Amino acid sequence: IEILPQPWGPFGGTLGRMLTTVPTQGDSGGWVLTDDQPPYWAGLFFGEDGHRGFAIRAAWVHNWAIGAIGSNLVP
């Protein structure tokens, strides 16, 4: 999953994206949630390239946990 910064405030387009923070080193392992109410777990953040972040799908993480440790992930 590619995570693109979202413009905020009165600025949009390229200027808004330049002023928006992106995930940084140290954010790895953070859960990526949707904007739904209640939020839905979409993935697990694992990296960035300075312009965007990257996450692995929640279903893939969940299936790995079942196979590797024989247990479901519980929030």
Side-chain angles (χ1 to χ4, degrees), residues 21-53:
T21 59
V22 295
T24 60
Q25 202 171 39
D27 291 339
S28 296
W31 284 25
V32 176
L33 304 175
T34 64
D35 287 337
D36 300 327
Q37 291 301 321
Y40 176 76
W41 181 41
L44 187 72
F45 179 78
F46 70 85
E48 55 84 25
D49 69 357
H51 303 284
R52 61 194 166 195

